Amino acid sequence: MAITADQPQPSLSPVEQRLIEHIERGDLLDLCGGQPVDDAAMRSWDETLTISTGVIRDILRGRHVTDPDPHGLRLRGARIDGRLDLENITSAMSLELEDCFLELGVNARDADLKGLVLAGCRLSHPTEPPLDGTRLTATVVSMNGTVIHAHAAEGAVRLLGAHLGGLYCDGAQLVNDSGLALDAENLRVDQDVFLRDGFQARASGDSVVLDLIDTRIGGALVLSPDSLEHRTHALRIGALSTSWSVSVEVSRMDLPVSRIPGEGWRERVGQQRPAMFSRRRCPVVSTRSRTRNR
């Protein structure tokens, strides 16, 4: 028998039942009462502030809430128990997590979502990409102010082959001690990509920091990072070779060269044609051809 909102929910904790009630009303469930939170506070949260990943997945699949408000699932100040599994989900409900602690990250491979917002969150995983959005389709993906710590060769954030309406990473910190920070090869973005206002990325190993090979952006690419770093090889901030033939296709590009390490930068932006930028050491685009595990 299908579970409806009017029936008792014996498998739900009190805080999960509160979440469902807030979704029905269209309200944000703020478990921190508007108070600021930091990493230490997140790691101290107990079961009274914990939401199961299975409950979130079920809600996005249309379970537990029969008539959700169009505002979707909005949650602040929660510990998410387990790796948030959104793989293969198709949902008309947006998911907005603010100042949440996702110790095992998010798997959104092949999902089709109205929106995925991770604002001010903390994501990590011991072996896998903390945010895996391979072939994800979403109206918007926002990681403003989110901190991601990775130990994965595949990347801290993986958006390989994704199709997004917009990508916003203002103030985000992507740190990976085993690979690249952002894998956005073959990414399609209909509107804008913002990597600015305190954006930081750090990579290690044989990978570049940001991989934007064959990325297509319908709006503006605004790349104004506070720092792009490579722990292993200082000269691998950008490409692994000094020759290149790759472009990022955008309608407008904002690259404040004074804030980006490297040499030989110059840009020219074409109207309704691929925007090209050339460099001797490029901190953005990897030009290396390689076999992918897709």
Side-chain angles (χ1 to χ4, degrees), residues 73-94:
L73 192 163
R74 298 191 294 165
L75 176 64
R76 178 177 184 266
R79 174 191 286 269
I80 308 302
D81 184 23
R83 185 163 174 81
L84 182 53
D85 182 9
L86 307 178
E87 186 169 8
N88 294 316
I89 282 184
T90 297
S91 179
M93 184 185 301
S94 62

Side-chain angles (χ1 to χ4, degrees), residues 106-230:
V106 179
N107 173 15
R109 294 172 61 92
D110 297 299
D112 189 341
L113 305 175
K114 182 177 180 180
L116 177 60
V117 176
L118 304 168
C121 295
R122 301 292 187 273
L123 281 70
S124 61
H125 195 282
T127 58
E128 299 179 32
L131 177 55
D132 190 346
T134 301
R135 297 180 299 274
L136 166 67
T137 300
T139 303
V140 61
V141 170
S142 175
M143 293 178 277
N144 291 343
T146 285
V147 177
I148 298 180
H149 287 278
H151 314 281
E154 296 87 352
V157 174
R158 187 169 167 87
L159 296 173
L160 178 67
H163 186 181
L164 312 177
L167 176 61
Y168 308 106
C169 301
D170 290 349
Q173 299 178 37
L174 314 181
V175 179
N176 191 352
D177 63 14
S178 301
L180 68 173
L182 172 63
D183 183 354
E185 184 173 337
N186 258 339
L187 172 67
R188 302 293 181 266
V189 181
D190 297 332
Q191 299 178 39
D192 301 326
V193 174
F194 293 160
L195 308 172
R196 60 181 186 177
D197 294 344
F199 176 79
Q200 301 176 36
R202 184 185 305 165
S204 188
D206 292 331
S207 301
V208 294
V209 179
L210 309 177
D211 187 345
L212 301 178
I213 287 180
D214 292 333
T215 293
R216 288 178 171 79
I217 300 169
L221 168 62
V222 182
L223 177 62
S224 181
D226 268 14
S227 65
L228 297 178
E229 302 177 17
H230 200 292

